[in-house]
Amino acid sequence: MANRAVFVLCGPGGHTRHRSSYGAVGLDLDLLAGPDTVLPFLAGHVREDDWYPDDMVEAGVLADREHRLLLVFAWEGPIASPRTRAATLELLRRAWPGWEVRWLYDGQSGLRAHLGLPAQEAESAVYPCPVLDVDDEELDEPDPLVAVVTVGGDRCHVLAAVEDHPVEEGPALLDRLRGAPDHGSHRLYADGGVHVDPRRRRVGWWLTAARAHARDVAARRPGWTVEFWEDRWTEHVRAAGGRFAPPVPDRAAALADVRGEALERWSGPRADARARLVAAHPRMVAPAVSARRAADARAVIEAAHGAAVRP
């Protein structure tokens, strides 16, 4: 199954675009190697003029050397996990000193908007996330893949975060959840959430990943006030009146976990498989990483982690 990624590299002469059908998973860990290693690595991918559809792109980067700006989005990985997200972003900013690192909550549609390109037409169909029972095995996981929906001060529903964000359902969400299992409260991590106040006709929502056209969801609820809380799950905690109370991530533990994953990602050279596979899978393979490049990457990761934990 493909995990599509797009890489845009900007400079004084314009920009080039590169894409990979299998480049999204691990992109956040790749970026922790810093610009000297990452930018040549991204530029080594297949160069393309066409764009994937916005809704199909799972991760992406825009790196602007002239303005020292890094725009990033991803659907999964430590940078999209509530437990390790803040730690990953902190290490990323330390690995790219002097660069502004900014998250694109609206994914490729936000990246295209930054370039001044016309918007693609948004997918009209909505694929609702399944509602979980109170004893669903997903809730036994340390980082459950779930979205939390709280309604007023009365109900808390937990959904498997495997399809569209619940806020995209618009008014149909409340109808669908009427009679669904009420979890009472959710005190584990979550990847996104919605708080609905039917009396005041207000909705607040957040996510740790990215959704194409995320900033357009208010149009699905005419007559309602819709607030986008970006990744600020604490806004949901305040609004939910105790029905959503996830643990506060352990910063030191999260930093150590991300460091370990990044070092494993850059543990040694990676072969260039294109000579063998490019004819059949031109967008599947990534350029080679030499032992020297991998060592340079590990040095950047260690330095970023050391700066983060230094008293």
Side-chain angles (χ1 to χ4, degrees):
M1 182 175 181
N3 49 85
R4 299 171 183 86
V6 61
F7 318 123
V8 178
L9 306 178
C10 301
H15 72 269
T16 61
R17 187 168 65 256
H18 311 259
R19 68 182 192 175
S20 170
S21 293
Y22 293 83
V25 175
L27 179 59
D28 50 352
L29 300 174
D30 285 336
L31 292 174
L32 291 174
D36 291 344
T37 294
V38 171
L39 293 179
F41 174 70
L42 296 180
H45 285 77
V46 175
R47 185 168 171 173
E48 289 283 356
D49 294 324
D50 296 330
W51 290 85
Y52 289 123
D54 287 340
D55 297 303
M56 295 173 60
V57 181
E58 299 182 23
V61 173
L62 182 146
D64 186 332
R65 279 185 178 273
E66 183 178 11
H67 299 96
R68 297 177 74 80
L69 172 66
L70 184 70
L71 305 180
V72 185
F73 70 92
W75 289 7
E76 59 181 287
I79 204 167
S81 166
R83 185 178 60 83
T84 51
R85 176 177 175 77
T88 310
L89 287 170
E90 180 179 353
L91 291 177
L92 185 59
R93 291 184 171 104
R94 294 184 184 277
W96 292 67
W99 287 64
E100 178 187 358
V101 177
R102 192 188 309 164
W103 186 259
L104 288 171
Y105 292 93
D106 40 3
Q108 183 176 273
S109 62
L111 190 154
R112 285 171 53 85
H114 177 83
L115 293 172
L117 298 174
Q120 293 183 359
E121 185 175 353
E123 171 66 56
S124 59
V126 176
Y127 301 94
C129 294
V131 177
L132 297 182
D133 290 325
V134 175
D135 58 353
D136 192 281
E137 61 183 14
E138 180 66 31
L139 300 175
D140 295 329
E141 298 294 326
D143 293 327
L145 187 63
V146 298
V148 176
V149 180
T150 52
V151 182
D154 304 321
R155 291 151 50 198
C156 174
H157 304 284
V158 182
L159 285 60
V162 294
E163 296 290 353
D164 291 333
H165 194 287
V167 75
E168 297 179 64
E169 296 183 53
L173 176 63
L174 286 184
D175 293 335
R176 186 167 75 92
L177 294 180
R178 193 168 288 115
D182 184 352
H183 290 238
S185 65
H186 183 78
R187 302 187 180 278
L188 305 172
Y189 292 116
D191 297 276
V194 183
H195 179 70
V196 184
D197 186 337
R199 184 179 62 83
R200 299 172 63 199
R201 296 177 68 80
R202 299 181 69 94
V203 171
W205 71 284
W206 62 279
L207 77 170
T208 56
R211 297 295 305 174
H213 311 285
R215 300 185 188 277
D216 299 335
V217 298
R220 298 181 184 270
R221 286 183 176 269
W224 287 64
T225 299
V226 179
E227 282 188 84
F228 180 32
W229 293 328
E230 298 184 336
D231 64 352
R232 300 189 304 276
W233 53 267
T234 53
E235 300 280 358
H236 193 171
V237 171
R238 280 192 283 270
R243 294 191 175 274
F244 176 50
V248 176
D250 182 324
R251 175 178 176 271
L255 287 169
D257 285 352
V258 177
R259 168 187 171 272
E261 288 191 51
L263 290 175
E264 182 178 357
R265 178 77 173 178
W266 290 97
S267 60
R270 304 180 202 169
D272 187 340
R274 284 175 298 178
R276 180 169 53 87
L277 295 176
V278 69
H281 306 284
R283 299 181 184 86
M284 176 178 176
V285 292
V289 172
S290 67
R292 175 61 184 273
R293 286 285 188 189
D296 291 344
R298 293 195 300 273
V300 170
I301 294 162
E302 293 284 26
H305 180 263
V309 300
R310 191 174 298 129

